[in-house]
Amino acid sequence: MPPREGTYGLLAEFDTPSDLVRAARQAYQDGWRRMDCYTPYPVEEAAEAIGFHRNRVPLVTLIGGLMGLCAMFALETWISVIAYPLNIAGRPLYSWPAFIVPAYEWTILWAGLSAAFGMVALNHMPALYHPLFNAPNFRNGATTDKFFLCLEALDPKFNLLESRKYLETLEPVSVVEVEY
């Protein structure tokens, strides 16, 4: 996505993960929905606090596995019945029990590849640029010892002045406006 002009959001910096989780819970309770937390290590409580529930990778994996299963059964049916029909020992041309093991292997292969590529695609990777990289102390702080809560400008409640006042009531170390 090309960078746009304007404000991306407001970034609040916190010193501890408990302060971040407390602020994120409060913001979610007050109706904010377009926000995200940035931490140097996983903080499960932060994801729960901002209402993060969606994970589409299992669905992508299931669909990929089913596609692999169907593709192998279709391939083996085509080979055995249409392309190279061989009558061996009076067995039927379509003998599905013989197709189970290769179809199982393709199911695992396609599910694994779908999970890997689906995760990369759903995470919008590779992301070489993000507006938060412009914020002072974010690039070093988010990877070492600081915790950030970003209220995005796409949220219907976002108003630059009122949002800044709201974030300051959550007692952050600092609040910075982030531009595209």
Side-chain angles (χ1 to χ4, degrees):
M1 173 167 49
R4 298 183 303 225
E5 303 230 358
T7 302
Y8 176 77
L10 289 173
L11 187 68
E13 177 184 333
F14 297 92
D15 281 330
T16 65
S18 58
D19 290 342
L20 171 70
V21 170
R22 179 187 46 76
R25 277 197 186 113
Q26 185 62 44
Y28 191 81
Q29 287 175 356
D30 291 341
W32 291 90
R33 295 299 178 259
R34 297 291 307 217
M35 62 180 163
D36 207 349
C37 296
Y38 301 92
T39 62
Y41 52 84
V43 179
E44 294 295 328
E45 296 85 10
E48 294 169 9
I50 63 173
F52 182 77
H53 298 292
R54 61 192 157 99
N55 185 358
R56 296 185 186 133
V57 175
L59 178 63
V60 170
T61 305
L62 174 67
I63 291 170
L66 292 175
M67 286 175 53
L69 178 74
C70 294
M72 184 47 100
F73 263 105
L75 177 67
E76 291 191 88
T77 301
W78 177 76
I79 289 172
S80 297
V81 177
I82 299 169
Y84 303 103
L86 298 174
N87 186 357
I88 299 172
R91 293 189 188 113
L93 295 177
Y94 180 73
S95 181
W96 67 268
F99 302 166
I100 291 177
V101 172
Y104 174 73
E105 294 298 330
W106 267 42
T107 301
I108 293 171
L109 174 69
W110 284 43
L113 291 174
S114 297
F117 291 118
M119 179 201 60
V120 169
L122 292 172
N123 287 333
H124 305 290
M125 292 174 72
L128 303 177
Y129 172 78
H130 194 279
L132 292 179
F133 294 161
N134 298 330
N137 200 25
F138 179 78
R139 187 172 291 202
N140 293 329
T143 59
T144 56
D145 62 347
K146 299 295 180 185
F147 303 88
F148 296 93
L149 174 66
C150 180
L151 299 180
E152 298 177 6
L154 296 175
D155 194 291
K157 290 185 70 163
F158 190 85
N159 178 317
L160 190 59
L161 297 176
E162 292 175 14
S163 300
R164 181 181 292 274
K165 289 178 187 175
Y166 175 76
L167 276 177
E168 289 171 354
T169 64
L170 300 176
E171 301 172 5
V173 174
S174 66
V175 177
V176 178
E177 179 181 352
V178 180
E179 298 189 11
Y180 280 102

